[in-house]
Amino acid sequence: MLVAGYKYGSLLYSSLTLLSYEFPDDINSTANSMQLITRLLLLLLFFRRRFLVYNADAGEVGVCYGRNGDNLMDPASVVRLLKKNGVTMVRVYDTDQAVLSAMANTGIKLVVALPNEMLASAAADPSWAVQWAKSNVKPYYPATDIRGVTVGNEVFQQAKGLTPQLVPAMKNVQAALAGLNLADAIKVTTPIAFDALKASSFPPSKGQFRDDIAQSVMSPMLDFLEQTGSYLMVNIYPYKAYTSTNGAMDINYALFRPNAGVVDSGSGFTYHNLFDAQLDTVYYAMDAVRSSRNRTVGTMLRGRRQVPVKHGEHSWCTYCDGVENSKTYTNNLIKHVVSGGASTASSYSYSPLDAAVGTPYRPNEDISVYIFELFNENEKSSAEESNYGLFYPNGQPVYQVDFMAGGAPSPARSSWCVANAAAGDARLQAALDWACGHGADCSAIQPGKTCYQPNTKLAHASYAFNDYYQRKGRASGTCDFAGAASIVYQQPAGTCDPNAGSWCVANAAVGDSRLQAALDYACGHGADCSDIQPGARCFNPDTKLAHASYAFNDYYQRNGRSDQSCDFGGAGSVVHQAQKIGSCVLRSRA
């Protein structure tokens, strides 16, 4: 099996980790108290700034691509099928060479796996983990856009004897990636089954992990995920929860259709779909687990684990309940996710401009799902398992699925991809390099070219990200760049179009004397200044600023429109709007 799609959690997580402060034993001492108060104030200021501007982004949807069949399409054909359907994220359950090679240079984000049968080796020997990463990850990255490694799969259920070795294996794999300078780009996680929670975890606010794993395994695991900026992956099958109620649950509540909602008596939250309720149950269970580390200021203030939850496998049972309900569930699921968690309380009309609302308990959290699964696979262990596919082995759909949720870009709904300054220059540079190496045309931001100025990481990254995004048809997931970018629906100010004209104009702030000196230089070094002589067509208005702009622009156009040719000691600057001085229109080569 293989799965697709995730977005990195908000910058809130990493920032809270950086601000964390361990309580010393002598916390009552004056010095430590003052240090603690200082940290608290910094953290509160951070909260104030972040919560004023932060909302959940629209989520992302991927698919499980399993290969337990003897009649499946070859990996190259699978890639074409994924791209045809707008799927840009795939999680795989191994590191098959043919699959990873086929995914190279496709723009598809990939999560690979270290299977259960390798988990003991990874836990026992750090050098084994290093060799595994060198052989199965490093040769393919970055051409294949690997974003994560799942260590094991549903270990508590499928390989109980390996439970004590799970977290050590995760740590060794993460350390191996760090040694290869890949840990920032490729996150380590593990998928757990929903039955890792107690059967009594209802309503959501009573969510708890089973006693046999809560403190012994989940506590150090969640600490590890939080420390490394990763996420917890959970496999959830809502049809099982629906049928377990023996008809007590409204089918509309399960299928994202309008319904009266269900009130959580513990929290007071009203849930209008089973998906949100199950997701929040996991979040409540995580928050109920005590940290294996010392308490931190962040934990004391927020009372919540800063670990996102991603749905590793999620599907309605076609074999159990027929095609129609599966089709309804899957398409409504996608609408729910890509809108950021829109309510089903009244109706389900979707627009990408809808406000993102997360879940009732985590209203600012991204929601991402990996649909199980891409194909019906004839070598699975049961008829039910063999019939979860969205497609038959030949690529024909079992039922129609709209991965864009009706949100395909159109001229009436233009969008742009812009860089996130908060990501920092190092992450922006890495993402910029990736974009330029994977299809974006970055020639215009090279030194001396049309869009080189302003010469900042943020400006260059925004240009490259947007070029990549537009070339990929503004498809879902093509404006992610590991959280370094986001989509906006109004054209950013100062957007540079390399195919549009550009002009060089004088800067009035430098004063007439500097303008005159620069004007003389331009006219004496190649600019044709005959049109600004007395009586000529561009003489009026007879000002230093107007004449300098004309001369500067003529020089600029004759010298390749490079940024250096519109410097003039700081007296000139490049603009991308047509310029007119009096009745004289400044020329452009474009």
Side-chain angles (χ1 to χ4, degrees):
M1 297 179 294
L2 310 172
V3 189
Y6 70 83
K7 287 183 75 175
Y8 288 98
S10 75
L11 293 172
L12 180 61
Y13 302 136
S14 56
S15 300
L16 282 170
T17 301
L18 290 173
L19 287 171
S20 65
Y21 175 85
E22 293 189 353
F23 284 90
D25 293 334
D26 57 341
I27 191 171
N28 292 323
S29 70
T30 301
N32 283 321
S33 295
M34 291 304 295
Q35 188 178 11
L36 175 59
I37 290 170
T38 301
R39 292 295 185 97
L40 281 166
L41 290 173
L42 288 171
L43 188 59
L44 289 169
L45 285 171
F46 170 82
F47 273 136
R48 181 177 182 272
R49 290 181 63 193
R50 283 293 178 211
F51 289 152
L52 284 174
V53 300
Y54 176 70
N55 269 320
D57 294 329
E60 295 190 71
V61 178
V63 296
C64 303
Y65 163 30
R67 294 184 296 113
N68 291 318
D70 60 10
N71 56 352
L72 299 177
M73 303 168 68
D74 64 272
S77 298
V78 170
V79 168
R80 289 192 290 271
L81 180 68
L82 293 169
K83 294 178 75 69
K84 177 182 177 181
N85 285 275
V87 179
T88 58
M89 298 152 290
V90 174
R91 173 197 159 204
V92 301
Y93 289 76
D94 55 18
T95 52
D96 181 80
Q97 180 179 356
V99 173
L100 268 61
S101 297
M103 296 288 177
N105 302 311
T106 61
I108 295 173
K109 293 178 285 188
L110 196 65
V111 178
V112 301
L114 184 146
N116 287 344
E117 55 266 27
M118 297 181 181
L119 194 147
S121 297
D125 186 358
S127 63
W128 187 96
V130 170
Q131 189 56 49
W132 180 87
K134 285 183 176 179
S135 301
N136 295 279
V137 178
K138 186 175 175 58
Y140 303 99
Y141 182 86
T144 299
D145 188 11
I146 300 172
R147 297 296 184 91
V149 175
T150 57
V151 175
N153 184 51
E154 297 187 348
V155 170
F156 309 147
Q157 180 186 85
Q158 297 183 19
K160 292 181 181 179
L162 295 174
T163 296
Q165 296 165 281
L166 177 56
V167 175
M170 295 171 68
K171 290 182 176 180
N172 283 345
V173 171
Q174 197 275 339
L177 293 173
L180 298 172
N181 295 316
L182 297 176
D184 288 337
I186 303 174
K187 298 301 178 182
V188 173
T189 185
T190 190
I192 65 172
F194 194 65
D195 65 7
L197 280 71
K198 291 182 177 180
S200 59
S201 294
F202 179 81
S205 60
K206 292 186 177 180
Q208 289 186 318
F209 289 109
R210 299 192 325 246
D211 291 339
D212 62 316
I213 60 171
Q215 290 304 134
S216 60
V217 183
M218 294 308 302
S219 177
M221 180 193 296
L222 293 172
D223 289 343
F224 165 77
L225 296 174
E226 190 166 17
Q227 289 169 336
T228 59
S230 189
Y231 55 93
L232 178 65
M233 189 174 278
V234 184
N235 298 340
I236 301 178
Y237 291 84
Y239 179 77
K240 297 177 180 178
Y242 168 69
T243 56
S244 70
T245 66
N246 296 316
M249 183 185 297
D250 182 357
I251 186 65
N252 295 312
Y253 177 77
L255 296 179
F256 297 95
R257 294 194 296 223
N259 62 88
V262 176
V263 178
D264 183 326
S265 58
S267 66
F269 292 134
T270 298
Y271 290 88
H272 290 282
N273 60 77
L274 177 60
F275 176 96
D276 285 353
Q278 290 187 297
L279 182 53
D280 272 356
T281 302
V282 177
Y283 277 121
Y284 275 109
M286 289 166 50
D287 292 345
V289 175
R290 298 188 309 277
S291 173
S292 59
R293 300 178 293 163
N294 290 337
R295 293 175 301 162
T296 66
V297 170
T299 302
M300 294 294 289
L301 281 177
R302 65 182 180 256
R304 296 183 180 184
R305 289 277 187 171
Q306 299 306 307
V307 178
V309 175
K310 309 296 181 184
H311 288 249
E313 295 176 4
H314 196 95
S315 187
W316 198 259
C317 183
T318 305
Y319 179 81
C320 312
D321 197 38
V323 167
E324 283 307 310
N325 278 349
S326 291
K327 177 181 178 180
T328 297
Y329 183 86
T330 303
N331 282 287
N332 282 345
L333 168 69
I334 294 171
K335 292 176 184 178
H336 186 75
V337 171
V338 301
S339 65
S343 173
T344 54
S346 56
S347 63
Y348 219 128
S349 59
Y350 164 69
S351 165
L353 301 181
D354 288 342
V357 295
T359 66
Y361 184 48
R362 293 291 182 103
N364 292 320
E365 194 64 74
D366 294 350
I367 300 175
S368 292
V369 171
Y370 316 111
I371 297 175
F372 187 82
E373 64 184 328
L374 189 59
F375 295 116
N376 284 342
E377 300 170 36
N378 65 359
E379 294 183 339
K380 289 289 189 67
S381 60
S382 68
E384 176 184 329
E385 279 284 318
S386 297
N387 287 279
Y388 272 95
L390 301 174
F391 296 90
Y392 294 108
N394 63 0
Q396 293 300 307
V398 175
Y399 51 85
Q400 294 297 321
V401 177
D402 179 8
F403 283 95
M404 299 297 293
S410 68
R413 191 164 57 235
S414 297
S415 58
W416 293 260
C417 183
V418 297
N420 178 7
D425 278 359
R427 285 178 62 194
L428 289 178
Q429 183 65 60
L432 168 61
D433 292 341
W434 189 93
C436 294
H438 290 80
D441 181 357
C442 298
S443 59
I445 53 175
Q446 302 307 308
K449 299 300 182 180
T450 309
C451 299
Y452 180 69
Q453 296 291 348
N455 180 22
T456 65
K457 290 287 192 300
L458 185 66
H460 288 185
S462 286
Y463 180 91
F465 294 172
N466 188 62
D467 190 85
Y468 180 88
Y469 174 65
Q470 302 298 337
R471 288 175 185 273
K472 297 297 181 181
R474 294 184 284 177
S476 173
T478 58
C479 181
D480 179 13
F481 300 101
S486 59
I487 295 171
V488 297
Y489 295 95
Q490 290 185 342
Q491 185 170 6
T495 299
C496 178
D497 181 355
N499 298 314
S502 60
W503 294 261
C504 182
V505 296
N507 178 7
V510 303
D512 279 359
S513 60
R514 286 179 61 189
L515 287 178
Q516 183 64 60
L519 169 60
D520 292 342
Y521 174 88
C523 294
H525 288 81
D528 180 358
C529 298
S530 58
D531 279 346
I532 53 174
Q533 301 306 310
R537 68 182 188 91
C538 295
F539 179 72
N540 286 315
D542 180 16
T543 65
K544 289 287 190 298
L545 183 66
H547 288 184
S549 287
Y550 181 92
F552 292 177
N553 185 66
D554 193 86
Y555 182 91
Y556 172 70
Q557 302 297 338
R558 292 173 184 272
N559 287 276
R561 296 196 298 181
S562 68
D563 293 301
Q564 291 85 350
S565 64
C566 182
D567 185 9
F568 300 104
S573 59
V574 176
V575 296
H576 297 280
Q577 295 80 36
Q579 299 294 304
K580 185 177 181 180
I581 300 176
S583 60
C584 187
V585 177
L586 298 189
R587 74 182 185 92
S588 170
R589 291 190 315 169

